[in-house]
Amino acid sequence: MAGLWAMIKQSTLVHLCFAISYFTSGLVINTVQCILYFGLKPFNKRLYRKIGYYLCYSFYSQLVFLADWWSGSTLYVYISDEDLKYCGKEHVLLLMNHTYEIDWLVGWVFCEKVGVLGNCKAYAKKVIQYIPTIGWAWKFAEFVFLERSFDKDKEIIGRQIKEIMDYPDPVWLLLNAEGTRFTEKKHEASVKFARDRGMVELKHHLIPRTKGFTASLPNLRGRSSVLDIQLGIAKDSPVKPTIFNILNGKPITAHMHVRRIPTESLPEAEEAAAEWVQELFRQKDRMQESFHTHGDFFTGSDVPRKHAIKMQPRLHTLVNMVAWNVVTVIPMMYALAQSLLDGQYMYFSIGSSTLLACNFSTLFYQLILL
């Protein structure tokens, strides 16, 4: 029975059903977002954002379902009781290591558990907003899209954060200070950069870029907190942390350390704030070294030990996934079957080929892009 279930999880047909549901539901959600953007937002921005939360939750939680229910992955969170009280209760800027292909998904799993998944936002490349479904959803959800020109970006950051701070419900905004995902080649370049400038070299991270943080901080101070998140996955894990393994139903075990830092406690001067980020990543590097050496974030670092909390899957993501598959996959499969039974082989071939090529490739493209 276990072998049969494993075969089902690795079935291309099942993956195609997920892709159909994800892509089609995304287009439906985009359509509703567009109507509300032009028809509701100019008159009632608060209600627009309330509804937008649930639309984004319905879209993002399909991917959380894959981690929680489909693959049975496990997330252990290390956070103090005091910091946990604030989770989901305030606006937050997230500073997280960008080490793994699925670190964004693990982050979404945690966000879903504390009730902020629909209001998760990030600093992203401007080009992403033009990508169907995920990019359009982010555009309507008021993500911070950057031009990669600091003079322009500084103005965009200030304007967008002011909008985000006006949200009626807590917003979690992700800043990837490293700029890109960790790879050996990028790490070599990062080490060279540090040596040339007399900076402390990092073993498990890239040297952080501080301008995004220092441009954001004045607009965040006193109105939000910073969450320092460190994600670790064992190097000798039998299942590598990839989207492909998640989709094939293979469980991954992740460990996440979370620390809340009030923005009022951060340096006010830009240069001092930039140095604070550098020092933060040096501490994160010690934590990651401890994790890979001792199996925890604490033994080899100066971080106080915390007990692990095992995150439990919630029924919300399961019900949402089932509902979207019923609404999207069944009608499409019925239409294809009907065309086949009616002898309309050309329509059947065109429809099935389009679904296979478009939906399957689009899902993978969007997941890897994140």
Side-chain angles (χ1 to χ4, degrees), residues 286-356:
R286 292 191 292 270
M287 292 175 66
Q288 201 74 350
E289 176 66 17
S290 176
F291 178 81
H292 290 308
T293 303
H294 304 286
D296 63 60
F297 294 115
F298 315 106
T299 303
S301 71
D302 55 355
V303 176
R305 186 173 295 274
K306 301 178 181 72
H307 296 294
I309 302 173
K310 184 179 179 180
M311 296 288 104
Q312 300 295 336
R314 299 202 309 161
L315 282 174
H316 303 63
T317 56
L318 176 60
V319 172
N320 180 75
M321 188 66 167
V322 171
W324 274 118
N325 274 271
V326 169
V327 171
T328 59
V329 175
I330 292 178
M332 289 188 182
M333 291 302 182
Y334 174 80
L336 285 176
Q338 193 65 41
S339 64
L340 181 63
L341 293 174
D342 292 344
Q344 298 174 338
Y345 301 116
M346 184 176 69
Y347 291 115
F348 174 80
S349 299
I350 293 174
S352 57
S353 299
T354 301
L355 288 175
L356 182 61

Side-chain angles (χ1 to χ4, degrees), residues 15-30:
H15 296 171
L16 176 60
C17 290
F18 287 158
I20 292 171
S21 172
Y22 181 71
F23 186 73
T24 308
S25 66
L27 292 179
V28 172
I29 288 169
N30 290 161

Side-chain angles (χ1 to χ4, degrees), residues 173-227:
L173 177 63
L174 173 65
L175 172 62
N176 280 319
E178 293 169 274
T180 185
R181 182 154 57 89
F182 183 99
T183 65
E184 290 302 325
K185 185 176 181 179
K186 292 172 185 174
H187 182 241
E188 289 176 6
S190 177
V191 169
K192 183 178 183 302
F193 178 88
R195 287 176 181 171
D196 291 345
R197 288 159 179 78
M199 301 172 67
V200 176
E201 299 172 21
L202 301 180
K203 184 176 180 180
H204 303 284
H205 301 80
L206 307 180
I207 296 296
R209 304 173 184 181
T210 59
K211 286 186 176 181
F213 179 79
T214 57
S216 303
L217 187 55
N219 302 289
L220 297 169
R221 193 179 300 278
R223 308 175 68 185
S224 68
S225 294
V226 170
L227 274 191

